[in-house]
Amino acid sequence: MIRSWHLGDDRQSLVLASFDDRLPEAVYWGPALPTGENLETLSAAALADVTGGMVDRSAGLSLCPEASESFPGQTGLTARNASGAPLMPSFRFESEAASEHGLTLVFADNSLDLSLVFDLVLTPETSLLKLQTRLESANEITVDWLAAPVLPVPAHTGEMIEFSGRWCAEFLTRRLPFAPGARVRDNRTGRTDHAHFPGLVVCNAGTSNTAGEAFAFHYGWSGGHKMVAEELADGRRQVQFGHATASLASGRHFVSAPLYATYSATGLNGAAVRFQRHVRDHVVQGARTPRPVHYNCWEAVYFKHDLDELKAIASQAAGLGAERFVLDDGWFGRRDDDTSSLGDWVIDKRKYPDGLTPLIDHIKALGMEFGIWFEPEMVNEDSDLCRAHPDWVLGHADQIRGRQQLVLDMSNQEVRDYLYAHIADVLKNNDIGYIKWDHNRILPVVDAEQAEGFYELVDRLRSDFPAVEIESCSSGGGRIDFGVLERTHRVWLSDSNDALERQRIQHDAALFLPASVTGSHVGPRHCHTSGRTLDIRLRAWTAAQRHMGFEMDPRELSEAEAETLRNVTSWWKANRDWMMQADILRLDSTDPAVIAEQQLAGDGSRFVAFAALTRPSDQILPRPLRLTGLDPQGRYRLSLVNRDEAPRLSRGAPLLKHQDLEASGQYLMSHGLTLPWRFPETVWVVEGERL
């Protein structure tokens, strides 16, 4: 007996089959199948042969591969009963329920009083699969591993792109061969983490940004996670995502985070656009529009808060075009450095004898929104909170400290109530429209309840203060995922404001993140994280590629630099309405020194391309830059926005250097743009409009 189901649209199809009421297997995932395809025939055709050295029936690579089936690889569930004995469930079909765009499939093992539920949805607008696993037990059990619904990837995909990184170098990508055995990433830091973004792309060696097949995954969870990409001895391949090993506990109800997945026949961009649109249109809720130009005072004053100085800085930031002023770390307790006062969320009367009102009034009079920094989940030992409640600290007393701070136990309702009361008091008594929510160290223990407690606190604040936007920051990009984005409006992509580093980080993060949620700031002339000194034009145009802001002391700017920044900011404001809704398409450059992208309006009527030269090219002249996503038969007018930045060593007369170009989409995608010669560490900006 075969039961079969189909989730599909005009871009992809996922076909599931249950054989003899066993757990369902994905027997097809790939390009959209034609209407009328016989699913039962496809399911039967997917059954593989058996030969020597194998058991008499191959265990199904199901949505939760079972140990009871003698599955030879990583199983989807590892659990123990109350006495510690391993559970070996054998689930059978119980029921199904269909919605307009999804399925709920229920399987049970009645002898163990267990139910396994798969919630499967294909979003119609973005063609993104959203898949979750739920486990229900009549008795108390311990679960060590519960995978989100497990998907296979086909044998003709030979590579995977995985994500690593570090502080100030988030979203590093690496191509690895798919080979026999398991590639396992077990992130036990307790947060999404700089080094473990929960994503994976399985593709071919020939898959590029604009061509080839890609199977892309993201696990939407803000705690530690585990990923398994495995090739079995029989040649089958599976991808699993779930919470980090040992992060689950005893109970009767368990649920994975959502696994988001999609198939693209149009290269990495095909998958990236679906993730970007899904975040922008379905995950993030209530973001301010238009997106305001952001100013953060951290790299201007650090912990040294002086009211008159802050007012002067705010006035200059407003003059440059800023529309939001964020007061960063140092306004609370007795916080003169990072060794004290975390947890004491009361305004420092030494620095603000009349509270924050005088500063807020000044900022509001300048036409700017006021925002403020919190790091709620952390505590310093030198704090009134830690002295009063050492029992609220997560982990043992002699643990290694991180950044001179400890972590609060967010599973404790008393902790969450305390934090809510203090944050709410600040929000109620001050005109605040924005919170930068930081998280500056890894956790001392792996505990899913920590992330769940964080979610509960943020959800409560969002419910009571719906007009307040929240940014997720964790020493930069240490907590970026769809789980946190369901509760926030913006992510701080990296603590690096070095524009060259940002070019690469932004480029790779665009595989999942849209511009509207990705903060990018013009840093100081001398970057404090890289030690590099970069031109204001590169810094400004790099920030203008995402949600633009400034994070430096505006008083350091020369008049020429200030004028450049005002001009780029004005350009961004004039274009932000459509750019913040645009698709970010990564361009395939034949020059490895170039990082290039194209932001294309949803209706295809206009675009802007950014091409940054990060180091000297190996060849003398720029290679043509091929665009993407255009109508081959359409005609476009292109203008080099910053042609006045061409250096004197650019002695020739390429057309775009002196006038606009009109050409077909076919020409622009096949031949590409001939751009003027330029120095390294510069960026060309090209606007295009369909005629």
Side-chain angles (χ1 to χ4, degrees), residues 485-503:
L485 280 166
E486 286 182 350
R487 296 161 171 87
T488 57
H489 307 86
R490 187 181 195 258
V491 295
W492 185 225
L493 192 58
S494 178
D495 275 348
S496 173
N497 276 324
D498 181 302
L500 287 178
E501 292 177 343
R502 275 275 173 165
Q503 281 288 333

Side-chain angles (χ1 to χ4, degrees), residues 514-535:
S516 58
V517 307
T518 306
S520 187
H521 295 173
V522 181
R525 185 184 300 120
H526 180 78
C527 179
H528 84 284
T529 57
S530 70
R532 193 152 40 197
T533 298
L534 295 171
D535 188 274

Side-chain angles (χ1 to χ4, degrees), residues 135-405:
L135 178 67
E136 308 287 339
S137 175
N139 307 301
E140 185 104 348
I141 62 172
T142 298
V143 171
D144 299 310
W145 172 246
L146 177 65
V150 177
L151 292 177
V153 289
H156 66 263
T157 55
E159 293 188 350
M160 66 181 86
I161 301 174
E162 65 167 20
F163 298 86
S164 58
R166 58 169 172 78
W167 180 67
C168 289
E170 293 84 346
F171 286 93
L172 289 173
T173 60
R174 292 199 304 162
R175 282 193 182 234
L176 300 173
F178 225 119
R183 173 67 177 172
V184 179
R185 296 184 68 94
D186 197 5
N187 167 24
R188 299 170 60 82
T189 67
R191 61 180 180 180
T192 318
D193 201 53
H194 303 77
H196 299 282
F197 176 75
L200 182 73
V201 180
V202 179
C203 59
N204 297 307
T207 300
S208 67
N209 290 317
T210 57
E213 288 189 302
F215 297 81
F217 303 82
H218 170 68
Y219 191 59
W221 170 242
S222 304
H225 74 278
K226 179 179 175 181
M227 180 207 81
V228 180
E230 184 175 30
E231 180 176 313
L232 305 176
D234 58 29
R236 291 178 295 172
R237 294 169 173 172
Q238 65 163 332
V239 172
Q240 296 192 14
F241 276 92
H243 290 10
T245 301
S247 68
L248 298 180
S250 298
R252 291 182 170 86
H253 311 282
F254 305 87
V255 61
S256 74
L259 176 65
Y260 298 88
T262 197
Y263 163 80
S264 166
T266 55
L268 303 180
N269 284 341
V273 164
R274 294 178 198 170
F275 284 116
Q276 292 169 23
R277 291 179 179 179
H278 194 78
V279 168
R280 187 182 65 230
D281 301 335
H282 299 281
V283 175
V284 174
Q285 301 293 322
R288 200 95 69 245
T289 54
R291 305 301 284 140
V293 177
H294 196 98
Y295 177 77
N296 184 292
C297 70
W298 174 243
E299 293 194 38
V301 301
Y302 296 100
F303 296 103
K304 185 177 177 296
H305 288 213
D306 176 83
L307 181 59
D308 291 336
E309 188 175 24
L310 287 167
K311 285 182 177 180
I313 290 171
S315 295
Q316 289 195 253
L320 294 168
E323 299 163 308
R324 171 188 284 155
F325 181 99
V326 179
L327 186 68
D328 211 286
D329 195 354
W331 58 268
F332 56 93
R334 299 182 67 84
R335 181 80 163 172
D336 296 326
D337 55 35
D338 62 3
T339 66
S340 76
S341 299
L342 283 178
D344 297 341
W345 300 111
V346 293
I347 297 165
D348 186 348
K349 291 296 185 181
R350 300 172 305 154
K351 299 175 182 177
Y352 299 97
D354 299 312
L356 296 174
T357 300
L359 178 59
I360 294 174
D361 286 348
H362 178 77
I363 287 165
K364 299 290 285 187
L366 293 168
M368 290 195 289
E369 179 181 78
F370 180 78
I372 197 165
W373 180 94
F374 285 96
E375 192 175 2
E377 297 145 275
M378 303 294 160
V379 65
N380 288 122
E381 289 168 277
D382 182 10
S383 68
D384 293 341
L385 177 62
C386 196
R387 284 184 283 270
H389 290 285
D391 54 312
W392 285 4
V393 171
L394 182 69
H396 53 80
D398 61 348
Q399 65 182 268
I400 299 173
R401 274 55 176 166
R403 202 173 178 261
Q404 295 86 47
Q405 60 197 51

